[in-house]
Amino acid sequence: MVKLVQGVGINDGKYPTTLNGLITKEYRLWASMLERCYSVKFHIKNPTYIGCTVSDMFKHYKHFFEWCQNQIGFGNVDFQLDKDLLHKGNKEYNENNCVFIPLEINNVLIKRQSDRGLLPIGVTKKGNNFQSRCNIGSTRKALGTFTTPELAFNAYKTFKEAHIKELAEKYKDTIDSRAYQALLKYEVNIDD
C-alpha cells in the first residue's frame, strides 16, 4: 500500500526521491507544494496558502517529475516554482498555471499583506502623511511621502510595474515565454 504524502500525494516509486543520499529537487518541490496546500501546521504560519490546491495530475509524483523535466528554468539553481504569475490570484498548482521563475522575480511579486495592515500595497503611515516604498532585492527604496494613501500607492504602482518590466527583460532569454509575457503585462492593484 502506498503511503500518501500530506494525505493526497501519491508516489508510485517510478522516480527516485533521493540521489546519493540527498533529496532530489523534483521531490523537494513536490513535497513542499503539497505541504503549502494541505498542511494545517503550515497554514497556521502561512495563512495566505489556505485554499490552495494541487491538480489531480500534480498529486502524482511521477507526473510532476516528468513535467519538471520539460520546463524552462527547472534546471536553474535559483529558480522557483510559481503558481500565480501566469494567472494572478490563481490558487491551484497545475501543469498549465505553473512556471519556474528566478528568486529575484518571485521576491518582487510577494505581497506582504501582514506587513502593511489595511493600507494599500507599498504604503505606510508616516506622521500625518503616507510614505511609498518598494523593496528591490535586499534594499528598500523610498519613493516619496504623500498626503493620501492613493497618491502614495500610485507612486508605488508606477515604480514597481517599471521594475517588473526591467526584470522581464533581464531574464527574457532564461524564462518561459509565458512568464515573460505575464511580467510585461503585470499590473499592481491597490488591493494586492
Side-chain angles (χ1 to χ4, degrees), residues 74-100:
F74 169 70
N76 296 11
V77 175
D78 70 334
F79 277 43
Q80 297 181 329
L81 180 66
D82 181 87
K83 69 171 172 25
D84 53 6
L85 171 60
L86 300 183
H87 304 99
K88 195 171 180 181
N90 174 57
K91 294 281 204 173
E92 182 181 61
Y93 286 89
N94 67 47
E95 58 279 10
N96 297 315
N97 291 331
C98 291
V99 289
F100 287 96

Side-chain angles (χ1 to χ4, degrees), residues 139-168:
T139 305
R140 184 171 272 191
K141 180 170 178 58
L143 303 174
T145 303
F146 303 87
T147 55
T148 68
E150 293 79 16
L151 290 172
F153 167 73
N154 286 334
Y156 173 83
K157 175 181 172 64
T158 300
F159 179 85
K160 186 157 184 175
E161 287 175 358
H163 181 62
I164 289 170
K165 285 174 180 53
E166 288 172 7
L167 291 175

Side-chain angles (χ1 to χ4, degrees), residues 1-18 23-24 26-28 30-31 34 56-65:
M1 178 153 184
V2 176
K3 181 181 175 189
L4 297 177
V5 177
Q6 295 297 332
V8 298
I10 300 166
N11 179 6
D12 67 359
K14 182 174 181 178
Y15 295 108
T17 58
T18 61
I23 296 174
T24 63
E26 295 89 346
Y27 189 79
R28 184 176 32 81
W30 183 70
L34 293 171
D56 288 341
M57 182 180 150
F58 270 16
K59 286 178 184 172
H60 293 265
Y61 178 56
K62 70 179 176 183
H63 294 303
F64 182 78
F65 184 99

